[in-house]
């Protein structure tokens, strides 16, 4: 079967004197039958190209499934008279949310289960996802958000837990996360809806049981800002965040006064970010004002003036504070130091960092519910240690292991190694990498290797455990994460040095990592694959333009590859919110800079690696037409005969299929493609 060819239909670009036509602009029109036909033809072509790999895909799928804990139950978290958890059952695609009434963890084994929400019974045949679940204060009602098309527009529903019936209250167009909270009385719901670009911008109040007439409380008219809604750990306040990528403003409401006034804590100041919590008689403020890596301040709730702010901790420039998590008797702080995630406990004026047994790891605050708890749950993992939940005594800091994820199919951590490696970037910066491999994999010289990365929005790629990588590791493949700039692995500056007019650092850092792995004998170009998704898909698109000879195969998932066109169009979801991440191309300097790295605009007549590209037709975050356009242009210009395949899920969005087995099969195909092209078929 010959590769599908999309016919060029020149669309002029005239901004800033650029007159080069965009030949595949027409592929953005999903109402055009030819666009859908092109996507379907690409799907058939992919199936034909990958047909010889079917045995490998099936083996990968079965091996991955063998390591999937099909019957698994989360550690239950206490909240009032109940312990809450979710679980998966063998053969089912979706989670079951449940609770047990018990006075202590010791009673859980004998306590009867109450199912709150079984997603398998709600899902139907197509896409289905539930995000936010919120219980009212007396635990009698469950509010949740559901979606059936893969977009960010969710529907709010409320379930009566006594009768099992749904209330008639049904509210559409609610944002998928950070958008739903109860007041302290349990009579009112506050929620955030989206505009036509799916930007969360309106806050509403709804009285349960009332039809219509919801009160619009606030609207964010600055298109570079968006709303998110939260509640303090104590439950005493609701917080409405209005944030851009670099500036914050928070309003608060006393939770037991649902019809009261929302008060601005500190008006927005460009470049100043802050977060807000309450603790005892104080508001806690985590801010970057005068402190690049953030500092912790406090002021009386009764006197929340700027002049009343006082320092809670001495500022340490090498410590990046990211979150404050109050308990009644102690503060838990999360952040980064020495290139790794860290947790600290502040109690009676003393700050102590929790210590962990491995040189590279990931640790995070887990799903604690009770503000008055004497213990905190935290989740720990590394490249070789499955996620482990510890209960931390907030007074003594003693850690008690509650649970370690089981890895079916015979996993022995002593048979695997992890290492930290460093590359030197173009400008001399030292870029960390974390590697995992099976013992013996490197003894025969350069090994097949998969390098992955992300590098945007300050999101850090953690050295975490992924049992789905075991089929790769057991075939002698080394898997390495590149902790490139644009993330926050090395602190806040690591992020700012990989955005806007410094974005190119993200791409050259990744190339430097690949070159170091070749130079130091870990692998060779023909045995080196790369993968990334979303902004990591942009990373893939950029590096195959910069250094195509370095990689044997590349997977780019839901890739943000048509940067300039998307950033020029404020009608596209997320565009206006992204201007402080990438820049606004209405400014000639940003236009020229984006044009210099945008993968679609820089595709040219040269040899590219084998490429596996995937997207979802309903993706609201990276529009389906970006990878379609990119693949079409690559087919027209590339000079090699390497495989280039495109998978479009015709009923899903940014995250791929919603069912766990369907998603697992998608991973199996992606991994099989990469393995085949770096020399592994068995």
């Amino acid at each position: 079967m010959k590769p599908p060819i999309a016919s060029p239909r020149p669309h002029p670009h005239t901004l800033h004197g650029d007159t080069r036509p965009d030949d595949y602009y027409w592929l953005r029109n999903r109402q055009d039958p030819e666009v859908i036909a092109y996507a379907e033809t690409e799907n058939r072509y992919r199936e034909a190209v990958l047909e010889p790999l079917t045995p490998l895909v099936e083996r990968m799928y079965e091996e991955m499934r063998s390591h999937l804990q099909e019957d698994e139950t989360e550690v239950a978290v206490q909240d009032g008279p109940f312990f809450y958890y979710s679980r998966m059952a063998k053969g089912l695609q979706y989670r079951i949310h449940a609770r047990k009434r018990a006075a202590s963890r010791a009673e859980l084994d004998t306590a009867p289960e109450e199912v709150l929400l079984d997603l398998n019974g709600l899902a139907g045949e197509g896409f289905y996802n539930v995000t936010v679940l919120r219980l009212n204060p007396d635990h009698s009602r469950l509010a949740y958000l559901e979606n059936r098309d893969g977009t960010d527009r969710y529907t709010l529903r409320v379930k009566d837990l006594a009768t099992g019936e749904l209330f008639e209250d049904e509210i559409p167009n609610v944002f998928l996360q950070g958008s739903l909270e109860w007041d302290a009385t349990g009579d009112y719901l506050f929620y955030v809806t989206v505009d036509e670009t799916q930007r969360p911008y309106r806050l509403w109040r709804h009285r349960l049981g009332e039809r219509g007439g919801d009160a619009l409380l606030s609207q964010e008219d600055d298109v570079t800002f968006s709303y998110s809604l939260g509640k303090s750990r104590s439950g005493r306040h609701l917080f409405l965040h209005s944030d851009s990528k670099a500036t914050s403003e928070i309003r608060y409401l006393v939770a037991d006064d649902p019809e009261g006034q929302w008060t601005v804590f500190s008006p927005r100041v460009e470049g100043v970010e802050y977060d807000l919590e309450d603790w005892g008689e104080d508001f806690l403020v985590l801010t970057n004002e005068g402190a690049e890596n953030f500092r912790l301040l406090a002021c009386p709730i009764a006197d929340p003036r700027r002049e009343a702010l006082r320092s809670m901790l001495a500022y340490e420039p090498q410590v990046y504070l990211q979150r404050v998590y109050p308990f009644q008797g102690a503060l838990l702080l999360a952040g980064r130091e020495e290139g790794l995630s860290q947790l600290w406990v502040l109690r009676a004026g003393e700050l102590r960092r929790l210590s962990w047994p491995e040189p590279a790891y990931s640790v995070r605050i887990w799903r604690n519910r009770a503000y008055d708890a004497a213990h905190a749950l935290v989740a720990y993992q590394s490249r070789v240690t499955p996620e482990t939940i510890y209960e931390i005594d907030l007074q003594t800091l003693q850690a008690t292991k509650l649970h370690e994820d089981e890895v079916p199919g015979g996993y022995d951590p002593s048979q695997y190694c992890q290492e930290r490696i460093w590359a030197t970037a173009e400008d001399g910066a030292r870029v960390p990498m974390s590697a995992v491999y099976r013992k013996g994999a490197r003894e025969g010289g350069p090994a097949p290797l998969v390098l992955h990365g992300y590098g945007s929005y300050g999101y850090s790629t953690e050295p975490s455990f992924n049992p789905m990588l075991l089929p790769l590791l057991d075939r002698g493949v080394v898997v390495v994460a590149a902790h490139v700039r644009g993330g926050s692995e090395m602190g806040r500056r690591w992020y700012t040095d990989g955005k806007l007019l410094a974005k190119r650092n993200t791409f050259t850092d990744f190339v430097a990592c690949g070159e170091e792995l070749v130079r130091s004998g870990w692998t060779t170009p023909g045995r080196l694959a790369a993968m990334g998704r979303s902004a990591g898909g942009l990373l893939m698109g950029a590096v195959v333009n910069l250094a195509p000879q370095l990689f044997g195969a590349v997977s780019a998932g839901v890739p943000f590859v048509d940067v300039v066109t998307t950033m020029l169009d404020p009608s596209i979801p997320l565009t206006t919110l992204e201007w402080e991440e990438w820049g606004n191309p209405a400014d000639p300097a940003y236009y020229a800079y984006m044009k210099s790295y945008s993968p679609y605009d820089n595709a040219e007549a040269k040899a590219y690696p084998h490429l596996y590209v995937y997207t979802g037709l309903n993706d609201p975050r990276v529009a389906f037409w970006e990878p379609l356009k990119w693949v079409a242009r690559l087919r027209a210009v590339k000079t090699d005969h390497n495989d280039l395949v495109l998978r479009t899920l015709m009923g899903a969005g940014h995250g791929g299929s919603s069912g766990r087995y369907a998603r697992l099969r998608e991973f199996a195909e992606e991994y099989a493609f990469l393995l085949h092209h770096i020399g592994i078929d068995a």
Side-chain angles (χ1 to χ4, degrees):
M1 183 176 181
K2 291 184 178 180
I5 301 297
S7 59
R9 301 179 190 175
H11 178 88
H13 268 288
T14 57
L15 191 64
H16 307 310
D18 186 352
T19 59
R20 289 176 291 177
D22 184 349
D23 288 342
Y24 302 101
Y25 188 86
W26 66 274
L27 285 170
R28 63 187 285 135
N29 182 11
R30 62 180 296 161
Q31 306 307 318
D32 184 344
E34 288 190 48
V35 172
I36 301 302
Y38 172 69
E40 292 172 339
T41 302
E42 284 282 7
N43 280 341
R44 290 192 295 273
Y45 176 72
R46 183 195 93 256
E47 292 169 0
V49 169
L50 299 187
E51 196 278 331
L53 297 185
T54 300
L56 179 58
V57 173
E58 290 302 316
R59 285 198 299 275
M60 293 293 292
Y61 173 75
E62 292 301 330
E63 289 176 33
M64 292 165 71
R65 185 165 176 172
S66 77
H67 294 302
L68 181 70
Q69 192 175 352
E70 299 198 70
D71 286 303
E72 59 92 4
T73 301
E74 288 181 339
V75 171
V77 180
Q78 189 169 17
D79 187 5
F82 297 99
F83 280 80
Y84 289 87
Y85 58 94
S86 71
R87 61 181 175 84
M88 296 292 288
K90 185 175 181 178
L92 297 182
Q93 294 271 25
Y94 299 96
R95 287 200 165 270
I96 298 167
H97 297 275
R99 68 183 179 186
K100 292 183 177 183
R101 183 183 288 271
S104 68
R105 196 171 294 280
E107 298 178 9
L108 287 177
D109 287 344
T110 57
E113 178 182 80
E114 178 188 356
V115 172
L116 305 179
L117 210 61
D118 183 349
L119 305 191
N120 299 281
L122 299 172
E125 294 298 321
F127 183 93
Y128 187 72
N129 193 35
V130 166
T131 52
V132 179
L133 295 93
R134 292 288 183 268
L135 286 149
N136 69 335
D138 70 3
H139 303 261
S140 65
R141 298 161 179 167
L142 176 68
Y144 64 95
L145 300 179
E146 70 173 14
N147 172 271
R148 295 182 182 275
D149 65 5
T151 69
D152 287 350
R153 298 179 185 273
Y154 280 63
T155 299
L156 190 165
R157 300 187 188 280
V158 183
K159 183 176 181 179
D160 186 321
L161 297 179
T163 66
E165 300 297 320
L166 290 177
F167 285 79
E168 292 184 1
D169 310 60
E170 181 180 313
I171 301 170
N173 293 324
V174 181
F175 191 59
L176 86 160
Q177 61 189 1
S179 55
L180 176 63
E181 294 290 349
W182 292 92
D183 76 321
T185 71
D187 294 326
Y188 290 89
L189 281 163
F190 295 87
Y191 62 94
V192 174
T193 57
V194 299
D195 64 11
E196 63 277 2
T197 69
Q198 301 186 49
R199 176 179 68 99
Y201 81 122
R202 280 180 171 172
L203 173 69
W204 302 81
R205 183 184 64 231
H206 171 75
R207 188 180 181 98
L208 193 65
E210 289 189 356
R211 303 291 297 273
D214 289 1
L216 175 60
L217 303 178
S218 183
Q219 177 170 312
E220 178 53 77
D221 292 321
D222 187 330
V223 295
T224 66
F225 282 73
S226 63
Y227 277 164
S228 63
L229 181 64
K231 183 181 284 188
S232 67
R233 286 268 300 130
S234 69
R236 290 185 293 161
H237 293 91
L238 295 172
F239 297 126
L240 178 68
H241 294 246
S242 187
D243 299 316
S244 72
K245 295 291 188 230
T247 304
S248 304
E249 181 178 81
I250 301 176
R251 293 171 172 82
Y252 64 91
L253 175 74
V254 177
D256 61 7
D257 184 19
E259 297 189 15
Q261 284 294 116
W262 290 75
T263 303
V264 174
F265 178 79
S266 180
R268 65 190 68 177
V269 175
E270 186 175 353
V272 174
E273 298 176 74
Y274 69 95
D275 200 3
L276 197 61
E277 255 291 359
D278 63 43
W279 191 41
E281 300 305 313
D282 287 332
F283 278 131
L284 300 176
V285 186
L286 194 62
T287 180
N288 69 340
E289 186 172 16
E292 182 179 45
N293 275 336
F294 287 73
R295 57 180 175 155
L296 183 62
L297 308 175
C299 67
I301 293 172
D303 183 21
R305 295 175 301 117
R306 182 182 182 86
E307 293 76 16
L309 288 168
R310 66 185 188 278
S311 177
M312 291 285 288
L313 293 170
Y315 177 60
E316 298 184 41
Q318 76 277 12
V319 174
Y320 178 25
L321 294 179
Q322 295 175 294
R323 187 180 179 192
V324 58
Y325 203 86
F327 289 80
Q328 189 168 306
L331 285 182
L332 192 57
L333 292 98
R336 304 193 69 83
E337 189 177 16
E338 299 171 354
L340 296 169
S341 53
Q342 308 288 358
L343 295 177
W344 296 263
V345 175
L346 177 64
R347 184 181 176 88
E350 182 185 6
L351 184 69
R352 295 173 63 185
R353 193 176 93 178
L354 301 183
S355 59
W356 306 101
E358 296 174 280
Y361 57 82
S362 171
V363 64
R364 61 189 174 92
I365 300 168
W366 211 63
R367 301 184 184 98
N368 300 276
R369 288 176 179 256
Y371 174 70
D372 59 357
H375 299 81
L377 300 182
V378 303
Y380 171 89
Q381 59 186 308
S382 75
R383 281 295 211 176
V384 298
T385 301
E387 184 168 78
T388 305
I389 307 301
Y390 289 96
E391 185 177 66
I392 307 295
D393 186 307
L394 292 172
Q395 184 169 358
T396 66
L397 303 194
Q398 180 178 345
T400 302
K401 182 192 287 191
L402 296 181
H403 171 82
E404 181 176 317
D405 281 353
E406 180 186 347
V407 184
Y411 173 67
D412 178 359
S414 69
Q415 297 304 305
Y416 300 85
C417 306
Q418 62 174 341
E419 289 188 39
R420 229 173 169 197
I421 319 162
W422 297 84
T424 302
E426 276 188 348
D427 60 0
R430 296 185 72 231
V431 183
M433 294 178 275
S434 55
V436 61
Y437 55 91
R438 190 174 178 94
K439 283 184 176 179
R442 299 190 59 221
E443 292 178 1
L449 189 147
V450 175
L451 180 66
H452 63 96
Y454 187 77
S456 291
Y457 305 110
Y459 297 158
S460 297
T461 302
E462 302 289 1
S464 55
F465 183 79
N466 182 358
M468 297 304 103
L469 294 178
L470 290 175
L472 280 70
L473 302 180
D474 291 343
R475 285 171 168 78
V477 178
V478 178
V479 178
V480 179
H483 305 291
V484 296
R485 279 176 285 187
S488 293
E489 286 88 342
M490 304 296 288
R492 182 69 171 186
R493 180 66 61 85
W494 203 247
Y495 168 44
T496 57
D497 280 354
K499 64 182 292 192
L500 296 173
L501 296 176
K503 187 63 203 171
R504 191 174 181 274
N505 286 335
T506 302
F507 316 134
T508 54
D509 282 1
F510 193 88
V511 171
C513 288
E515 290 174 340
E516 172 61 24
L517 292 167
V518 171
R519 186 199 65 78
S520 55
W522 283 74
T523 191
T524 62
R527 308 193 81 187
L528 174 60
M531 62 188 301
R533 69 183 318 276
S534 195
L538 161 64
L539 173 60
M540 296 300 102
V543 301
V544 297
N545 281 331
L546 286 173
Q549 74 288 346
L550 187 58
F551 304 98
V554 172
S555 170
V558 288
F560 176 44
V561 285
D562 192 12
V563 182
V564 177
T565 306
T566 291
M567 288 294 100
L568 279 170
D569 189 347
S571 71
I572 295 173
L574 300 184
T575 289
T576 58
L577 304 178
E578 302 281 289
W579 284 338
E580 288 185 344
E581 181 75 21
W582 314 99
N584 186 342
D587 180 327
Y590 283 110
Y591 181 90
Y593 191 76
M594 288 182 195
K595 199 83 168 183
S596 75
Y597 68 73
S598 173
Y600 174 70
D601 294 292
N602 288 278
E604 59 186 359
K606 61 185 176 185
Y608 283 87
H610 298 281
L611 288 168
Y612 183 92
V613 185
Y614 59 93
T615 185
L617 189 64
N618 296 333
D619 191 340
R621 297 177 176 271
V622 178
F624 74 95
W625 45 260
E626 293 201 36
L628 262 68
K629 288 177 60 180
W630 184 46
V631 167
R633 174 162 283 181
L634 283 171
R635 290 208 189 284
V637 300
K638 74 188 190 84
T639 59
D640 60 84
H641 297 289
N642 291 332
D643 288 342
L644 169 58
V645 296
L646 171 65
R647 183 187 76 208
T648 302
L649 294 176
M650 306 305 284
H654 197 63
S657 295
S658 55
R660 61 171 173 168
Y661 296 115
R663 196 160 53 245
L664 204 63
R665 191 168 290 281
E666 290 160 14
F667 289 148
E669 182 178 285
E670 178 185 13
Y671 292 165
F673 179 92
L674 295 179
L675 292 186
H676 170 71
H677 287 299
I678 58 173
I680 296 177
D681 284 301

